[in-house]
Amino acid sequence: LAKTTQPISMDSYEGQEVNITCSHNNIATNDYITWYQQFPSQGPRFIIQGYKTKVTNEVASLFIPADRKSSTLSLPRVSLSDTAVYYCLVEVGGSQGNLIFGKGTKLSVKP
Amino acid sequence: SQTIHQWPATLVQPVGSPLSLECTVEGTSNPNLYWYRQAAGRGLQLLFYSVGIGQISSEVPQNLSASRPQDRQFILSSKKLLLSDSGFYLCAWSRGGPSSYEQYFGPGTRLTVT
């Protein structure tokens, strides 16, 4: 399974755009890139998933370069409520959905 | 709509005592089911997953076991708890089948072994 590497923590201010980059050098052809958000004492919540290029939904964008060895989660205009841990995962296509969660990136948004 | 339930929400147990955590899913059929553990300040560790009744895959060898007696019921058990079993236990489900689907997590159980 592909291992991911992401920063342990990041700080930002309200209203700024936040970009969290994740590296996954040994990603396989069938693998998807998925991001989850977790608040304290809650289970993770799915944010976005992509395979290549760019994916956008109502909460975030995911940028994946052509070589797919990294990806960037972009959160536009963050607010205090976006303070959470963000996990980057590589999900094996065709698998039963078992995911490998790392330690994630702890994002702290300040006023 | 689908919902996932876990109980109890919190649990304090002495070392050596048994454990039984239950998870149920409503509103879907034949889901994949998962048990994760999160130690304080750490990421999630996948413990078990199941693709069907009676089918359990273990990711990490330990003194825990899992069972799936019904399609939408997943149980995590231990005969004798260790201090290291303390943590936040999360149950999750995803749509079944060999495709890449997002996982939906329950509210979790905070277990403290004393």
Side-chain angles (χ1 to χ4, degrees):
Chain A
L1 293 175
K3 180 181 177 181
T4 61
T5 303
Q6 54 184 121
I8 294 175
S9 64
M10 292 182 69
D11 291 332
S12 182
Y13 291 92
E14 283 190 292
Q16 289 187 333
E17 178 184 74
V18 171
N19 296 309
I20 306 175
T21 298
C22 176
S23 66
H24 26 78
N25 291 322
N26 58 338
I27 190 170
T29 302
N30 292 335
D31 294 349
Y32 288 80
I33 298 149
T34 309
W35 286 80
Y36 282 77
Q37 174 193 56
Q38 186 182 25
F39 298 111
S41 297
Q42 295 185 27
R45 182 176 71 98
F46 173 90
I47 300 176
I48 197 166
Q49 183 181 75
Y51 183 78
K52 62 180 179 180
T53 62
K54 177 183 175 181
V55 179
T56 298
N57 61 23
E58 62 276 8
V59 296
S61 295
L62 179 60
F63 298 92
I64 305 168
D67 65 7
R68 303 198 332 121
K69 293 186 176 182
S70 67
S71 60
T72 299
L73 174 72
S74 181
L75 304 173
R77 297 180 299 281
V78 294
S79 63
L80 296 176
S81 62
D82 292 317
T83 294
V85 177
Y86 292 83
Y87 297 95
C88 165
L89 299 92
V90 171
E91 189 167 356
V92 179
S95 74
Q96 301 306 318
N98 40 316
L99 305 175
I100 306 295
F101 282 80
K103 293 184 179 180
T105 297
K106 186 173 182 180
L107 172 65
S108 298
V109 180
K110 303 174 182 179
Chain B
S1 62
Q2 300 86 11
T3 55
I4 179 169
H5 304 279
Q6 275 187 254
W7 63 91
T10 59
L11 190 60
V12 180
Q13 292 283 94
V15 169
S17 64
L19 172 73
S20 181
L21 301 181
E22 188 165 344
C23 170
T24 59
V25 180
E26 296 177 355
T28 188
S29 297
N30 196 31
N32 293 340
L33 297 173
Y34 312 83
W35 277 113
Y36 290 86
R37 177 173 60 200
Q38 187 171 34
R42 308 287 296 275
L44 278 74
Q45 179 185 39
L46 179 64
L47 302 175
F48 301 94
Y49 71 95
S50 170
V51 300
I53 296 175
Q55 301 179 61
I56 309 294
S57 296
S58 175
E59 291 295 304
V60 181
Q62 58 219 322
N63 70 321
L64 299 172
S65 63
S67 62
R68 185 171 177 173
Q70 300 180 41
D71 181 45
R72 290 169 288 177
Q73 183 185 29
F74 206 22
I75 298 172
L76 182 69
S77 304
S78 174
K79 292 182 179 179
K80 289 185 178 181
L81 284 169
L82 306 172
L83 285 175
S84 58
D85 291 324
S86 293
F88 189 45
Y89 287 82
L90 289 157
C91 180
W93 74 273
S94 68
R95 289 181 174 80
S99 299
S100 187
Y101 292 117
E102 66 184 85
Q103 292 191 10
Y104 302 88
F105 286 80
T109 294
R110 178 77 59 190
L111 171 65
T112 303
V113 182
T114 60

